[in-house]
Amino acid sequence: GNCNQYLGREMDGGKITVNGNCTYNCGYKMTNGEIVLNGNARDYLGCYLEGGQIFVKENAGHCVGDLMSNGVIHVAGDVKNELASNMSGGIIIVDGNGGDCIGMNMKSGVVHLNGEYGSICRSNLRGNVFHRGRQIIKYGEEVPGMEVKWVKI
């Protein structure tokens, strides 16, 4: 079934599988372990994530990886917006569309976008962003010869 708020809050090991959706704060302050959502994650996925892995089989809402310092978040579908804001480490992979406002105040870490995206927020972005395997942002700067394109999604 579905879960409500704070699935895996401060989780330090083990595995949680949900055959449904999660509303808010999935993996909040998680340090180790694995969460698998066979549905959607609404908002604040992996906020303050310090380690471990979160896999979402469908889509995610707002604020994916906000204040994340380590670990891996993999969203097989789309992310609505605010991806990797204030991120200081770790890896985020989005197989679908990345939405708007990617990397605002991103200090470090890596984002892999396999679908389209709306905008890269340049405000204090110091991380690395890849689009379909090609690096487009390296430590906050556009990679020479790689055009960063904005696509209306």
Side-chain angles (χ1 to χ4, degrees):
N2 296 324
C3 65
N4 198 0
Q5 298 181 23
Y6 294 103
L7 174 72
R9 179 179 179 159
E10 298 182 31
M11 181 175 168
D12 191 29
K15 181 175 180 177
I16 299 173
T17 302
V18 176
N19 292 319
N21 304 315
C22 187
T23 57
Y24 296 101
N25 291 311
C26 177
Y28 179 83
K29 287 194 172 184
M30 178 176 160
T31 58
N32 199 358
E34 182 178 326
I35 296 175
V36 177
L37 290 178
N38 290 316
N40 296 299
R42 187 166 168 191
D43 295 328
Y44 304 103
L45 174 67
C47 287
Y48 293 97
L49 184 69
E50 298 171 11
Q53 300 176 43
I54 301 173
F55 178 74
V56 179
K57 191 172 183 179
E58 294 182 21
N59 303 312
H62 302 283
C63 298
V64 173
D66 188 28
L67 294 157
M68 174 180 174
S69 62
N70 201 355
V72 177
I73 298 174
H74 187 166
V75 178
D78 299 336
V79 170
K80 190 167 185 175
N81 64 19
E82 292 188 41
L83 176 63
S85 293
N86 301 297
M87 180 179 175
S88 62
I91 300 170
I92 299 176
I93 302 164
V94 179
D95 290 334
N97 294 327
D100 283 320
C101 198
I102 298 165
M104 182 172 64
N105 297 316
M106 182 179 174
K107 296 162 188 64
S108 183
V110 178
V111 175
H112 291 275
L113 303 168
N114 294 314
E116 298 300 330
Y117 58 91
S119 65
I120 304 288
C121 291
R122 303 223 185 269
S123 173
N124 296 317
L125 190 155
R126 293 185 297 277
N128 296 284
V129 180
F130 293 80
H131 182 242
R132 296 186 177 139
R134 297 168 61 178
Q135 189 167 21
I136 58 173
I137 301 289
K138 183 175 183 178
Y139 306 115
E141 300 295 326
E142 288 186 36
V143 174
M146 291 302 303
E147 180 182 340
V148 177
K149 61 180 182 174
W150 294 193
V151 177
K152 180 75 175 162
I153 52 176

